[in-house]
């Protein structure tokens, strides 16, 4: 092992590195990769030598409130889908704002924003709800993949992709990697970041990005068609097919509002995970979901096992002393720099290194603990603002490549945005997002108590 590391620490890091590589390459399902990794560490006693202590550590991730929050939010998302509320919200916004192409861009953005707090999978939200609606619109103007894509289709697809990158950073519950980041921050720094702290900390950045993103796409990647009178007519027809607002949709809407209110204002009374468990209970009692829906939600259970094992494995890096060792080495290279400059450099590094990852969760698990360790090794760095900046960058970095986040392959493969344009736009908007995050986020988070 390198100087300063024990042999079992070096073995554990080798195992951890193998898990990260497997999460990127996916020779077998990710949840299985995590489970095998934890089992190997438990059997070999890399973290704790005694079998009983080793097993308790191996199972610790399954009792994480954050992991259960992710699972519960998936159930909330399923309620959106099953009742049709998510589709209705999107169509209502398209009907109201779709008369002009720019207005349609804002409608798509607002639709994503409306369902983001209760949808922890940005793939389910954007690729599963938003994309199936907007893919019907370009054909109304003779815009198809290929030569006619720039009429309107390319603009709509890139706007939708941009919107989901922004909303993925807005809420703890709007993307699966966010609760994972919160859990790793708590493990590494003892900071307890609540749902409302996260939301209000990102709000100034979010407001700027949500206001200007559709307009920036309109300017940088302009559509040929500027008006879209046919779109509101189409949306009106789709809403007519759906019929009147159902009782289940009304109950679902009330539960979403209740959850948001408790997450924002009830932090002193109820933990965010407790709130989502209450909502699940009501969903079952009102028969919006039945128990078989919960048992049969393979994606939710898969993510539950996957994230529970990742939380455990990341915790092991700290327990065996690897994070402290790596952080001290990196911190030594930055001696003499101002704390704010170091903070900005580390956030830029965290953002840019995502080009090497095809999974936000793998990226978070591998890189976040080390950078948090670096910050702790430099006492002048304000730990809470720095931790939040790293966490907020996770959703935004999903814009940079065709594999950066779950919805990316859908929009890349739809045929409306060329390969060259996708990479160019990813870089341009990645830089814009990062600049806005740093220029607004650093002074705001370091000067305001959230």
């Amino acid at each position: 092992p390198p100087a300063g590391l024990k042999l079992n620490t070096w073995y554990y890091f080798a195992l951890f590195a193998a898990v990260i590589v497997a999460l990127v390459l996916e020779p077998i399902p990710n949840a299985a990769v995590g489970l095998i990794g934890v089992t190997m560490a438990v059997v070999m006693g890399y973290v704790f030598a005694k079998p009983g202590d080793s097993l308790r550590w191996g199972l610790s991730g399954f009792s994480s409130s954050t992991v259960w929050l992710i699972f519960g939010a998936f159930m909330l998302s399923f309620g959106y889908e099953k009742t049709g509320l998510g589709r209705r919200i999107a169509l209502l916004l398209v009907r109201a704002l779709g008369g002009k192409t720019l207005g349609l861009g804002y409608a798509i953005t607002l639709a994503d924003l409306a369902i983001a707090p209760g949808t922890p999978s940005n793939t389910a939200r954007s690729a599963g709800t938003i994309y199936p609606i907007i893919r019907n619109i370009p054909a109304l103007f003779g815009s198809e993949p290929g030569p006619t894509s720039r009429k309107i289709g390319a603009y709509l697809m890139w706007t939708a992709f941009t919107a989901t990158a922004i909303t993925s950073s807005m809420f703890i519950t709007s993307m699966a990697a966010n609760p994972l980041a919160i859990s790793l921050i708590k493990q590494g720094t003892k900071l307890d970041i609540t749902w409302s702290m996260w939301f209000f900390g990102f709000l100034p950045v979010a407001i700027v990005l949500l206001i200007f993103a559709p307009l920036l796409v309109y300017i940088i990647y302009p559509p040929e068609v500027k008006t879209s009178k046919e779109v509101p007519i189409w949306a009106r027809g789709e809403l007519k097919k759906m019929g009147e607002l159902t009782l289940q949709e009304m109950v679902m809407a009330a539960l979403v509002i209740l959850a948001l209110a408790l997450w924002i204002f009830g932090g002193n009374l109820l933990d965010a995970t407790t709130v989502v468990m209450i909502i699940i209970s009501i969903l079952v009692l009102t028969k919006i979901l039945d128990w078989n829906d919960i048992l049969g939600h393979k994606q939710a259970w898969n993510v539950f096992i996957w994230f529970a094992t990742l939380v455990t494995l990341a915790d092991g890096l700290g327990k065996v002393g690897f994070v402290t060792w790596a952080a001290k080495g990196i911190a030594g290279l930055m001696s003499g720099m101002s704390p704010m400059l170091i903070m900005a450099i580390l956030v830029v590094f965290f953002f840019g290194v995502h080009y090497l990852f095809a999974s936000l969760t793998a990226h978070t698990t591998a890189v976040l603990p080390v950078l948090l360790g670096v910050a702790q090794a430099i006492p002048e760095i304000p730990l809470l603002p720095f931790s939040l900046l790293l966490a907020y960058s996770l959703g935004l970095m999903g814009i940079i490549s065709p594999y950066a986040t779950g919805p990316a392959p859908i929009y890349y493969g739809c045929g409306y945005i060329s390969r060259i344009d996708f990479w160019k736009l990813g870089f341009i908007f990645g830089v814009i997002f990062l600049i806005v995050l740093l220029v607004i986020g650093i002074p705001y988070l370091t000067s305001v108590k959230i």
Side-chain angles (χ1 to χ4, degrees), residues 91-367:
L91 287 170
L92 284 169
L93 286 165
V94 168
R95 185 184 69 181
L97 300 174
K100 294 184 181 296
T101 303
L102 181 58
L104 189 53
Y106 279 100
I108 292 167
T109 301
L110 290 172
D112 196 302
L113 174 63
I115 60 177
T119 315
S121 167
N122 57 4
T123 306
R125 179 172 72 254
S126 189
T129 301
I130 303 298
Y131 175 76
I133 294 172
I134 66 171
R135 72 180 177 188
N136 297 295
I137 296 173
L140 300 174
F141 301 89
S143 181
E144 300 289 348
T148 59
S149 63
R150 291 297 300 274
K151 278 188 173 182
I152 194 172
Y155 169 77
L156 297 182
M157 297 304 164
W158 188 257
T159 301
F161 186 45
T162 303
T164 204
I166 299 168
T167 60
S168 291
S169 285
M170 279 195 69
F171 313 98
I172 289 179
T173 47
S174 60
M175 187 176 70
N178 295 345
L180 176 63
I182 291 296
S183 182
L184 298 182
I185 289 169
K186 188 172 184 178
Q187 283 178 359
T189 66
K190 309 305 179 189
L191 292 171
D192 197 358
I193 298 171
T194 64
W195 197 94
S196 59
M197 283 174 64
W198 176 295
F199 173 67
F200 288 111
F202 188 68
L203 191 57
V205 176
I207 290 172
V208 171
L209 291 178
L210 289 172
I211 289 173
F212 290 104
L215 179 60
L216 282 173
V217 180
Y218 194 82
I219 295 169
I220 295 170
Y221 198 53
E224 295 171 7
V225 175
K226 307 298 182 181
T227 58
S228 47
K229 294 179 181 178
E230 293 88 345
V231 172
I233 297 171
W234 170 80
R236 195 174 293 113
E238 292 297 304
L239 284 166
K240 190 174 181 180
K241 291 177 187 176
M242 290 188 72
E244 296 295 323
L245 191 69
T246 65
L247 178 61
Q248 283 198 328
E249 286 178 271
M250 288 188 278
V251 172
M252 187 68 213
L255 290 177
V256 171
I257 294 169
L258 175 62
L260 289 173
L262 290 174
W263 280 332
I264 295 172
F265 303 110
N268 295 327
L269 299 174
L270 294 170
D271 182 83
T273 305
T274 307
V275 171
V276 87
M277 293 301 180
I278 292 170
I279 299 301
I280 291 174
S281 301
I282 299 174
L283 287 172
V284 172
L285 289 171
T286 55
K287 301 190 183 301
I288 290 175
L289 298 180
D290 62 41
W291 193 244
N292 287 328
D293 289 329
I294 295 174
L295 292 177
H297 201 308
K298 293 181 180 179
Q299 186 184 12
W301 289 111
N302 182 64
V303 170
F304 176 78
I305 294 171
W306 176 15
F307 276 46
T309 54
L310 289 184
V311 166
T312 302
L313 288 166
D315 176 60
L317 276 182
K319 280 188 162 49
V320 299
F322 181 86
V323 171
T324 302
W325 172 83
K328 285 180 178 178
I330 297 171
L333 298 174
M334 295 184 165
S335 60
M337 296 183 185
S338 72
M340 292 301 165
L341 178 59
I342 293 173
M343 189 160 67
I345 289 172
L346 293 178
V347 173
V348 171
F349 169 78
F350 188 64
F351 194 95
V353 79
H354 190 57
Y355 276 109
L356 304 179
F357 288 89
S359 164
L360 282 166
T361 51
H363 178 188
T364 305
T365 309
V367 185

Side-chain angles (χ1 to χ4, degrees), residues 7-32:
L7 188 61
N8 75 298
T9 303
W10 191 229
Y11 285 158
Y12 183 83
F13 175 70
L15 172 64
F16 182 85
V19 168
I20 296 301
V21 170
L23 289 177
V24 173
L25 300 180
E26 294 191 45
I28 57 176
N30 281 333

